[in-house]
Amino acid sequence: MLQFIRSIGKRDEDGASAVEYGLLVAGIAALIVIILFAFGGVLSGFFKSTCHTIGSNVVSAGGSVGTSTC
């Protein structure tokens, strides 16, 4: 009887680990998407201002100050 109870308690969890890793990857991907949507406007503004700052300091090959295409 004790052997039967021990055999019920043992489970083969090889397949479960793949499912758990899949859920973990899906959760991380969802979190990244949520963060990008939440902070997308802030990041866009940051990169645009950086691009304009760099673009205003660009010197073309002819020696004149050029403009960048941001």
Side-chain angles (χ1 to χ4, degrees):
M1 182 69 178
L2 186 59
Q3 186 66 24
F4 176 71
I5 293 173
R6 286 184 183 158
S7 69
I8 292 175
K10 287 185 178 180
R11 290 186 277 165
D12 185 22
E13 297 185 8
D14 290 338
S17 62
V19 172
E20 290 167 355
Y21 283 126
L23 290 173
L24 186 64
V25 168
I28 291 171
L31 186 64
I32 289 171
V33 169
I34 290 170
I35 289 172
L36 286 177
F37 275 115
F39 295 113
V42 174
L43 291 174
S44 176
F46 173 75
F47 285 117
K48 282 183 182 178
S49 67
T50 303
C51 182
H52 289 297
T53 301
I54 293 171
S56 65
N57 296 326
V58 172
V59 176
S60 66
S64 62
V65 175
T67 59
S68 67
T69 57
C70 294

